[in-house]
Amino acid sequence: MNYEGMTVTEHRLRVPLDHAQPTGEQIEIFAREVSVDQDKPWLLYLQGGPGGKSPRPATLSGWLSEAVKHFRVLLLDQRGTGLSTPANRQSLGLRGDPAAQARYLMHFRADSIVRDAEALREHLGIEQWSTLGQSYGGFCTLTYLSLAPQSLTRCLVTGGLASLEADARAVYRATYQRMAERNEEYFSWYPQDRETLHAIYEHVRHNDDEFLPDGRRVTVPLVQMLGQYLGGNARVHQLHFVFEEAFINTPGGRRLSDSFLATLYEQASRASNPLYAVLHESIYAQGEATNWAAEAVLEEFPAFGAHAPTPLLTGEMVYRWYFTGDPALRPLEETARILAEHEGFAPLYDLEVLAKNTVPVAAAVYHDDVYVDRELSLRTAEQVRGLKAWVTKDYHHDGIGQDGPKIFAKLLAMTNESEPETASD
């Protein structure tokens, strides 16, 4: 199909659920190719998440507009997402009981995603390709460099240098600290919003008849999920507009406005990406159980506790109560518990291979990223031979959405040129 100046081609492939058993159960993988010149080399885009489907481009814009100048771009729907065989509350019941569902989902981590990509590469007859990994896509990139570096020409990473060794609790300790700093920064811009937030908390503490569109009662922890706005520069200031419209006067007294409740629902619902919640902590697991790490570490940061006078806003943390409240997650509560307690996850990274890496790698490390900690990222940069890290204060975790063409061009140039391995703005 041709539209808006680009050629779009769909690719589907059957792959093993378990790549260690190639003749066993098969699932389908979908990818969408976008190009303006099919003589260009290939670039595989690895989406953030986990549980996020690839972009659906209606026009050539953002980072994609720059990428197609140099590459044929393949947008992969990672297994379980988009048009790849779905994994959600509606489909997972076909697997059987929660234990069977959990066994199924153990094959949905970065190592399986990389092997799916390898199957696609071979199916398309591509000898080597480059990759761009955003956020969790960067985690997948490090796994790709560990498992099949011979297939890679270069790797670009934006906000996604995972720690190679830190466990989930260590990651969340860093995350809570960064989120606390981001809260303080935001409320220094909009001190009146702290007062509004306190009023919202007090309102829902004393009124049990405020509900989200899906029927959930509004609670303090649900309101805290508005902190997802703080994860990027592209929309952080939109949070102020959310607070501006928080309350409305009605014949029955002061209430939370429909506009506010609709926005809160958008942040609280996992209907469109349930795997994000179900698999989120497993992306850090290598042998050990995660055991609801974000919830366990919360005790060390009482300012985020729901009983604090004005609790700080949270971010990408996943808690057990998500699965008792969200209708999209409720059927998966026991499945998520089994995954959280699983101790047999295989290693995702090969430190020896990464220490000998010869693939050009350039990574944007956002100085104040609240989701992928700068210090942990720079430690990873030291462990991957030849990786060039660009540390910048100009962007946040969503930098690729804010200024994608510039960031893409910068990282591409870094893989083509001899530059210092770590550079800062």
Side-chain angles (χ1 to χ4, degrees):
M1 180 183 296
N2 295 287
Y3 63 90
E4 296 295 328
M6 55 186 171
T7 299
V8 180
T9 307
E10 297 180 352
H11 301 281
R12 288 178 169 84
L13 180 67
R14 303 291 291 181
V15 298
L17 170 66
D18 181 355
H19 283 275
Q21 300 182 29
T23 61
E25 180 180 352
Q26 305 285 297
I27 60 174
E28 186 169 80
I29 296 300
F30 173 85
R32 182 176 279 110
E33 174 191 344
V34 179
S35 67
V36 296
D37 181 353
Q38 295 195 327
D39 290 329
K40 298 287 187 184
W42 286 83
L43 174 84
L44 170 69
Y45 179 66
L46 294 166
Q47 169 69 25
K53 63 186 178 184
S54 70
R56 267 52 180 165
T59 61
L60 276 178
S61 60
W63 68 266
L64 186 60
S65 65
E66 180 64 26
V68 296
K69 297 176 183 177
H70 311 275
F71 299 99
R72 297 168 70 174
V73 178
L74 193 68
L75 304 171
L76 170 65
D77 279 354
Q78 296 170 12
R79 53 172 54 198
T81 75
L83 295 180
S84 295
T85 299
N88 55 37
R89 69 173 179 86
Q90 295 172 300
S91 66
L92 283 170
L94 297 171
R95 309 303 310 180
D97 64 13
Q101 295 174 30
R103 287 194 298 272
Y104 180 73
L105 291 176
M106 288 173 190
H107 299 294
F108 281 66
R109 299 200 309 150
D111 47 356
S112 294
I113 293 167
V114 166
R115 292 185 172 101
D116 291 343
E118 277 292 274
L120 269 171
R121 182 188 60 79
E122 293 174 2
H123 173 71
L124 295 172
I126 302 168
E127 182 177 352
Q128 288 184 312
W129 55 13
S130 299
T131 65
L132 169 63
Q134 157 64 11
S135 189
Y136 177 61
F139 292 34
C140 295
T141 301
L142 292 167
T143 300
Y144 213 146
L145 287 164
S146 297
L147 296 180
Q150 72 281 355
S151 301
L152 302 171
T153 305
R154 81 188 75 225
C155 296
L156 314 180
V157 176
T158 53
L161 284 187
S163 173
L164 303 178
E165 299 169 299
D167 63 17
R169 292 194 179 203
V171 169
Y172 280 108
R173 286 189 182 95
T175 299
Y176 277 114
Q177 183 60 45
R178 297 294 183 200
M179 278 301 299
E181 294 166 0
R182 185 65 161 171
N183 270 261
E184 289 308 306
E185 181 179 35
Y186 176 83
F187 290 116
S188 72
W189 301 332
Y190 302 105
Q192 69 274 33
D193 287 357
R194 193 190 298 271
E195 298 176 9
T196 301
L197 178 60
H198 181 77
I200 294 169
Y201 287 148
E202 288 301 296
H203 179 79
V204 300
R205 282 167 172 158
H206 294 95
N207 295 274
D208 60 3
D209 57 351
E210 295 279 14
F211 298 95
L212 295 184
D214 63 6
R216 275 182 284 174
R217 187 173 75 82
V218 178
T219 62
V220 169
L222 273 177
V223 175
Q224 288 179 268
M225 293 180 73
L226 289 172
Q228 292 168 97
Y229 275 95
L230 304 182
N233 284 340
R235 68 180 195 142
V236 61
H237 295 284
Q238 292 178 351
L239 180 57
H240 175 63
F241 305 135
V242 175
F243 285 133
E244 278 187 334
E245 298 182 352
F247 288 103
I248 190 169
N249 292 321
T250 76
R254 197 181 191 210
R255 307 286 296 176
L256 294 177
S257 71
D258 284 348
S259 174
F260 177 84
L261 292 171
T263 300
L264 181 57
Y265 169 73
E266 291 174 0
Q267 304 308 303
S269 175
R270 294 299 175 195
S272 64
N273 60 344
L275 289 183
Y276 176 87
V278 177
L279 294 176
H280 194 268
E281 291 196 352
S282 76
I283 69 177
Y284 303 110
Q286 299 188 88
E288 78 292 346
T290 58
N291 283 322
W292 305 106
E295 187 171 304
V297 174
L298 174 62
E299 298 176 1
E300 302 173 25
F301 295 88
F304 287 93
H307 298 293
T310 309
L312 298 182
L313 300 172
T314 55
E316 289 193 337
M317 301 79 164
V318 173
Y319 307 104
R320 273 178 285 198
W321 62 262
Y322 282 14
F323 295 87
T324 60
D326 189 339
L329 297 178
R330 200 175 297 133
L332 304 176
E333 180 181 3
E334 180 65 8
T335 302
R337 181 195 65 78
I338 294 170
L339 289 169
E341 296 176 359
H342 183 65
E343 297 181 344
F345 284 119
L348 294 169
Y349 314 115
D350 188 322
L351 273 63
E352 291 186 4
V353 171
L354 294 174
K356 299 175 183 177
N357 173 62
T358 59
V359 179
V361 183
V365 176
Y366 304 125
H367 187 274
D368 299 311
D369 196 326
V370 299
Y371 297 145
V372 182
D373 181 70
R374 176 186 73 249
E375 296 305 323
L376 293 176
S377 293
L378 292 179
R379 170 59 181 152
T380 295
E382 294 174 351
Q383 294 173 283
V384 181
R385 182 177 179 270
L387 187 153
K388 297 177 181 178
W390 167 39
V391 183
T392 175
K393 294 183 179 181
D394 291 340
Y395 306 106
H396 227 271
H397 191 72
D398 63 350
I400 196 172
Q402 180 184 3
D403 202 359
K406 180 179 177 180
I407 292 172
F408 186 92
K410 167 76 173 180
L411 295 178
L412 182 61
M414 288 172 64
T415 61
N416 288 330
E417 300 171 1
S418 177
E419 294 189 3
E421 290 194 1
T422 301
S424 299
D425 281 352

